[in-house]
Amino acid sequence: MPTKYIIVTGGVLSGLGKGIASASIGHLLSSRLKVVPIKCDGYLNVDPGTMNPFEHGEVFVLDDGGEVDMDFGHYERFLGVTCRSKWNLTMGKVFDMVRKKERRGDYLGKTVQYIPHVTDVIKSHIFDVAREEKADLMLVEIGGTVGDIENELFLEAMRQMKEDVGRENIIYIHLTYVPIPHGVNEQKSKPTQQSVNLLKQRGIFPDIIIGRCSEFLSKEIRVKISNFCDVHPDAVITGLDVDDIYEIPLIFEKEGLPEIIHKTLNIYSPPDLRKWKELIRNIRHPSKEITVAMCGKYTKLEDSYASIVESFNHCSAHLGCKINLEWVETTDLGDTSFLDRVDGVVVPGGFGSRGTEGKIEVIRLARERNIPFLGLCLGLQLAVIEFARNVCGLKDANSTEIDPDTPHPVIDILPEQREIYEKGGTMRLGAYPAFLKEGTLVRSLYGSSEISERHRHRYEVNPDFHDAIQEKGMVFSGASKDGRLVEFIELPGLKYFVATQAHPELKSRMETPAPLFYGFVRACLEGC
Ligand code: GLN
């Protein structure tokens, strides 16, 4: 069977959940097909690694060290695949490739143009991935909204692709918005019509339209969209607003999306949603409830911590408990009374000094009051600083990232990072193994002595202080193979005081929640 292609575009406005829609489509088709997702982003950064999470949400990190769009988190969680950084194509990467080719003389004698040279680079990148991965189905999501100048070249490349791969091997799915204006109280198709027109002007004629709406699309609106946009009425699908993104594949299945795709692409891969449905039922009908304080500095934008939120959803599905997240901004932490009403505290990853003193204070209180605590990356570093200051008596201990002149640099830059001044993709990135100490809580949670988690950091626990810290009772429960880099810490005797230099939230899946989150939620439940 030749590789099939599904191209997903978006219209009307951003934020309609194109990534989740694409991931859900992939989920529904992956029972018998190898589905490989590609995301095309129109910005000129080579990758999102240098962007503030406020700009672009969470930076997702892959096993191979790629810093990629947060949609890859959805792809991995919905498709059960391990993605590669090559699958995220940004316009920055495309121009970089074109420029390198031009300097190498690949275009000697020619004027290098957007069409065909830039579009050819886009297409051949996608075809390379399809070949390398032996993909049955390539799922290509075009970031942004049709009409944006940034994604024009990607759309043009997608238009051309139908000749390259054969018209029977490619379909176009367009996600739009169907509003129900207040006072009018009926579903409106005009934004969809206009957005489809924009797409048609670019030579792309959608086969399937997904209309995001607060209600299921009525028969009338389906007929209207079908008439105006030249799609079969059965190919007008509701993209229902839901509280829980894991319901989207179920909605699409109910709307008959898999059958339409099977028919139009001539493939067969019936979805098996039994396990998925069972887990979602647990989320919908929890028997217990806990509240967790998330202490960060990007708390105004929950997308910055998307994988952590999902990791908690996975725990909800397995433990049948509702997990309320209370977002605590630590920049000017004054009132700490929230600690009286929460069952546990998470200090997530982060960079720079803003908010760190507030987090250290929260960690101190969590330790002293025996409130379950989970620290992730920066969370581990701050837990070590707190312990060094208040238990080891190292006054003003700090990380050199926060205070370069600290008298006790318990957290210091990794030796291999000292001479690195370039910013893109230069941190310690991707999956690294850790070896877990026998008899520790972390080892029992993972159920294994050697594990692998993903990383994104420049600093570490300073080896000069290992002995002083361990002598006072902090256990280094996991380390790199040579024992130098502290990967996990814990405080025995407390209900749950665990932190890691890694980002276990990046590998949590619906079917297999991240062990440290699972253990943390269980500890929170015990206190209820
Ligand atoms: N800023 C810290 C470091 O670079 C922690 C990074 C993180 O939390 N991802 O080591």
Side-chain angles (χ1 to χ4, degrees):
M1 183 182 89
T3 304
K4 305 279 179 172
Y5 290 81
I6 295 181
I7 315 298
V8 181
T9 57
V12 186
L13 46 98
S14 61
L16 291 178
K18 207 161 1 94
I20 290 161
S22 303
S24 302
I25 294 166
H27 183 84
L28 290 170
L29 299 174
S30 56
S31 70
R32 297 199 186 169
L33 300 175
K34 175 158 189 201
V35 181
V36 174
I38 296 263
K39 170 90 194 278
C40 298
D41 282 305
Y43 52 75
L44 294 178
N45 305 60
V46 170
D47 60 47
T50 52
M51 288 186 221
N52 184 318
F54 275 129
E55 294 269 327
H56 202 67
E58 172 187 71
V59 176
F60 197 77
V61 181
L62 302 173
D63 268 1
D64 69 8
E67 295 177 287
V68 293
D69 185 86
M70 61 183 283
D71 278 346
F72 280 88
H74 301 310
Y75 298 152
E76 288 203 337
R77 291 186 284 262
F78 279 64
L79 291 170
V81 288
T82 299
C83 295
R84 293 174 201 267
S85 58
K86 196 172 176 184
W87 303 357
N88 194 183
L89 190 55
T90 67
M91 205 38 93
K93 258 188 210 171
V94 173
F95 285 160
D96 209 31
M97 288 190 263
V98 173
R99 200 192 55 84
K100 283 200 181 103
K101 280 165 78 74
E102 191 272 338
R103 291 291 86 182
R104 212 166 48 208
D106 289 11
Y107 305 119
L108 224 47
K110 297 229 169 55
T111 308
V112 183
Q113 293 180 306
Y114 289 124
I115 304 168
H117 301 108
V118 175
T119 46
D120 277 355
V121 163
I122 295 171
K123 289 191 295 176
S124 59
H125 187 91
I126 294 173
F127 296 146
D128 276 355
V129 173
R131 210 175 314 111
E132 285 163 16
E133 301 299 329
K134 298 189 177 62
D136 297 312
L137 178 69
M138 296 293 286
L139 186 63
V140 185
E141 179 194 343
I142 307 297
T145 308
V146 58
D148 293 347
I149 201 156
E150 285 87 356
N151 62 23
E152 293 289 3
L153 290 165
F154 284 125
L155 289 175
E156 169 59 15
M158 295 307 109
R159 179 194 70 77
Q160 294 174 14
M161 240 158 77
K162 58 182 177 287
E163 283 311 318
D164 299 308
V165 304
R167 287 169 191 250
E168 66 287 7
N169 296 321
I170 187 165
I171 60 167
Y172 298 88
I173 300 183
H174 191 53
L175 174 68
T176 72
Y177 179 50
V178 178
I180 306 177
H182 185 70
V184 180
N185 295 341
E186 63 173 9
Q187 297 173 339
K188 289 295 192 185
S189 68
K190 193 72 80 193
T192 300
Q193 293 176 39
Q194 291 182 339
S195 143
V196 169
N197 279 342
L198 285 177
L199 205 55
K200 285 180 175 170
Q201 282 165 20
R202 286 155 181 81
I204 294 177
F205 298 82
D207 301 277
I208 295 171
I209 292 174
I210 302 176
R212 170 82 187 257
C213 190
S214 55
E215 292 170 5
F216 276 98
L217 299 183
S218 65
K219 181 132 190 298
E220 296 73 40
I221 199 93
R222 287 177 205 260
V223 170
K224 204 163 175 188
I225 291 175
S226 153
N227 272 338
F228 281 104
C229 303
D230 285 323
V231 295
H232 193 280
D234 290 349
V236 182
I237 305 286
T238 308
L240 194 68
D241 292 353
V242 287
D243 291 332
D244 177 1
I245 55 170
Y246 295 94
E247 297 200 25
I248 300 284
L250 309 183
I251 306 278
F252 285 174
E253 189 205 29
K254 194 165 160 194
E255 290 278 289
L257 184 59
E259 288 79 21
I260 312 268
I261 295 176
H262 294 160
K263 235 187 283 168
T264 32
L265 271 184
N266 196 18
I267 51 175
Y268 183 63
S269 183
D272 179 359
L273 296 173
R274 277 170 301 182
K275 181 84 192 143
W276 194 264
K277 278 183 185 157
E278 192 186 305
L279 291 167
I280 290 196
R281 216 173 299 128
N282 292 343
I283 298 181
R284 269 198 220 137
H285 306 290
S287 53
K288 309 155 236 166
E289 186 167 346
I290 58 166
T291 300
V292 170
M294 274 281 294
C295 303
K297 69 172 173 181
Y298 303 116
T299 48
K300 291 208 172 59
L301 189 72
E302 290 182 23
D303 264 2
S304 316
Y305 301 112
S307 294
I308 296 180
V309 174
E310 295 316 326
S311 303
F312 279 120
N313 276 329
H314 305 158
C315 293
S316 291
H318 285 264
L319 291 166
C321 87
K322 182 165 191 267
I323 303 171
N324 307 305
L325 296 180
E326 178 160 340
W327 300 87
V328 179
E329 172 62 57
T330 49
T331 309
D332 298 304
L333 185 79
D335 180 15
T336 53
S337 61
F338 68 90
L339 287 169
D340 299 335
R341 55 178 183 270
V342 299
D343 302 293
V345 170
V346 174
V347 174
F351 293 84
S353 57
R354 185 163 69 80
T356 47
E357 284 304 319
K359 289 178 200 166
I360 292 171
E361 179 62 3
V362 172
I363 296 170
R364 180 180 71 82
L365 293 169
R367 180 176 57 77
E368 289 177 357
R369 296 192 201 169
N370 198 5
I371 302 170
F373 162 76
L374 174 62
L376 306 166
C377 202
L378 180 68
L380 173 140
Q381 298 174 358
L382 298 180
V384 168
I385 294 169
E386 189 281 316
F387 192 80
R389 285 184 190 174
N390 301 318
V391 180
C392 305
L394 300 171
K395 194 166 169 289
D396 296 327
N398 217 328
S399 161
T400 50
E401 180 185 15
I402 300 165
D403 175 9
D405 302 319
T406 169
H408 305 295
V410 290
I411 306 295
D412 199 9
I413 192 143
L414 286 155
E416 64 269 29
Q417 288 281 327
R418 269 180 220 282
E419 303 302 322
I420 296 178
Y421 301 104
E422 288 228 336
K423 284 290 179 251
T426 56
M427 286 187 240
R428 181 171 180 258
L429 288 165
Y432 285 92
F435 296 82
L436 308 181
K437 210 180 265 170
E438 193 138 13
T440 61
L441 174 59
V442 169
R443 166 102 173 236
S444 73
L445 287 170
Y446 277 95
S448 168
S449 58
E450 184 184 343
I451 59 107
S452 169
E453 292 286 8
R454 295 178 183 172
H455 294 73
R456 184 171 189 251
H457 66 122
R458 287 201 173 86
Y459 292 79
E460 63 167 347
V461 181
N462 185 343
D464 294 347
F465 292 87
H466 282 189
D467 290 344
I469 293 166
Q470 290 181 102
E471 271 161 23
K472 290 287 179 187
M474 180 171 273
V475 172
F476 293 167
S477 32
S480 56
K481 190 160 193 177
D482 60 6
R484 182 203 153 88
L485 193 124
V486 179
E487 291 279 12
F488 294 89
I489 61 162
E490 61 191 63
L491 286 180
L494 295 184
K495 278 187 208 148
Y496 192 94
F497 193 101
V498 173
T500 173
Q501 188 58 75
H503 288 278
E505 69 274 19
L506 299 175
K507 292 217 311 191
S508 185
R509 305 269 167 95
M510 186 65 135
E511 298 81 0
T512 49
L516 291 198
F517 281 80
Y518 189 80
F520 171 73
V521 173
R522 246 184 11 202
C524 293
L525 280 166
E526 273 164 25
C528 286

